[in-house]
Amino acid sequence: MTVITRKSAAELSHDDILAIVEGTALAVHIPGFIHPEALASARAQLYDHPDRGGLSQDTAFQRVGFAYSEISDERSRDRYHSEARANIQRMRDLFAPYASPSDVLRLLLEETWNAGANLMHVDGRKAFIGICRYQHKDVDLNPHTDALERNLPPDHAQGLTAQLSVNIYVNIPRVGGELELWGTEPGEESYNELKGERVWGIEREKLGPPVEVIKPEPGDLLLLNPRQIHAVRPSGDEPRITLGHFIGYYGTDRPLELWS
């Protein structure tokens, strides 16, 4: 399975999304998802944004917004949900007068997926969508997987069947920053065995070469399964800046749910 589907946003279909869920496609690549004028305006503001802060798990990575993966206790959970709407608005303001790419994505999924799409709700509180993430020069995003269950409340039953992710690229370094995909989805127990004593991620030496390496362009969108092992090579010059989104799949007859 090394299928990369390339098409425009207008051509994206329900079946394209389902192919990622079912593993018959590795990724969907939409070139030029952000309009060039909107991209130039936002990139100038985001490149050195004063609200950047270090990611809780590893301060070598920076972000604007607060990620669901940073939730570690009830205090951080309350912070995430209390800041969600303001963080959505902040990213919307950065792209004004153009539409926020995260808003456009939400509408595209609502229109494309047969059962629609909406923000994730956890105990009646809505999620944030559209975090801006920075990977600076020489910082390696090691092979890893992403799983919502690691940060959900212990007694929260989501019924989540699969998880997808969408990255929208604001800036890409001239050297490095390639996305590596292995196309393998280890269970949580197998993943923890591969991770060993590391706090986060897997050593590349424990894996064979990736089955696919993708170098997106600024403005592009990539949809993939983040429960499959993936990584990003270090940036050699400029920071790699992306808008990150996760999508929860609960079956073909249920709406998709979105969060960051």
Side-chain angles (χ1 to χ4, degrees):
M1 178 199 64
T2 57
V3 177
I4 306 293
T5 304
R6 290 183 174 87
K7 53 180 53 184
S8 69
E11 294 169 331
L12 183 70
S13 72
H14 176 99
D15 288 342
D16 291 327
I17 300 169
L18 194 60
I20 304 297
V21 171
E22 295 178 341
T24 57
L26 195 60
V28 175
H29 181 192
I30 301 179
F33 183 78
I34 307 178
H35 189 281
E37 290 183 9
L39 179 65
S41 174
R43 183 161 51 182
Q45 297 181 73
L46 286 168
Y47 198 88
D48 195 23
H49 198 280
D51 291 343
R52 287 179 305 169
L55 197 66
S56 301
Q57 305 96 307
D58 189 340
T59 55
F61 298 93
Q62 292 187 308
R63 80 287 188 266
V64 176
F66 190 66
Y68 200 83
S69 62
E70 297 184 76
I71 293 175
S72 58
D73 53 25
E74 286 309 306
R75 183 177 179 180
S76 55
R77 188 176 307 283
D78 288 343
R79 175 189 170 187
Y80 174 84
H81 289 292
S82 66
E83 294 180 0
R85 185 168 178 181
N87 280 330
I88 290 172
Q89 187 63 49
R90 173 164 52 181
M91 299 311 299
R92 192 173 285 150
D93 291 344
L94 280 166
F95 280 88
Y98 303 97
S100 160
S102 299
D103 287 347
V104 176
L105 172 66
R106 288 166 63 182
L107 290 170
L108 178 63
L109 293 173
E110 165 65 29
E111 295 159 4
T112 300
W113 186 250
N114 290 348
N118 49 250
L119 289 176
M120 182 176 74
H121 296 63
V122 180
D123 297 333
R125 296 185 290 180
K126 292 185 179 180
F128 163 49
I129 190 76
I131 194 166
C132 183
R133 301 181 295 193
Y134 298 77
Q135 183 179 350
H136 291 286
K137 185 175 181 290
D138 299 328
V139 175
D140 189 0
L141 183 55
N142 290 321
H144 66 286
T145 66
D146 298 292
L148 173 63
E149 294 88 343
R150 296 170 191 162
N151 302 92
L152 279 173
D155 58 347
H156 190 82
Q158 277 286 93
L160 189 70
T161 302
Q163 183 173 330
L164 308 178
S165 71
V166 169
N167 280 324
I168 301 173
Y169 297 87
V170 176
N171 195 69
I172 293 291
R174 290 183 294 271
V175 178
E178 297 89 350
L179 174 67
E180 300 174 300
L181 302 173
W182 274 264
T184 58
E185 184 175 346
E188 197 70 3
E189 184 176 343
S190 298
Y191 176 69
N192 287 327
E193 288 176 0
L194 284 167
K195 190 172 67 170
E197 298 300 315
R198 291 176 59 92
V199 174
W200 188 88
I202 304 167
E203 295 288 350
R204 278 182 171 81
E205 290 72 22
K206 291 188 175 182
L207 305 169
V211 297
E212 193 74 42
V213 178
I214 306 172
K215 181 73 177 276
E217 294 290 331
D220 289 3
L221 177 151
L222 279 172
L223 167 69
L224 54 92
N225 175 1
R227 295 191 176 190
Q228 294 181 351
I229 297 173
H230 58 289
V232 179
R233 293 176 181 172
S235 300
D237 45 17
E238 300 181 7
R240 182 180 186 268
I241 305 174
T242 64
L243 303 179
H245 317 77
F246 287 117
I247 303 169
Y249 168 82
Y250 302 86
T252 55
D253 60 342
R254 295 270 304 276
L256 301 172
E257 288 199 332
L258 296 92
W259 74 95
S260 286

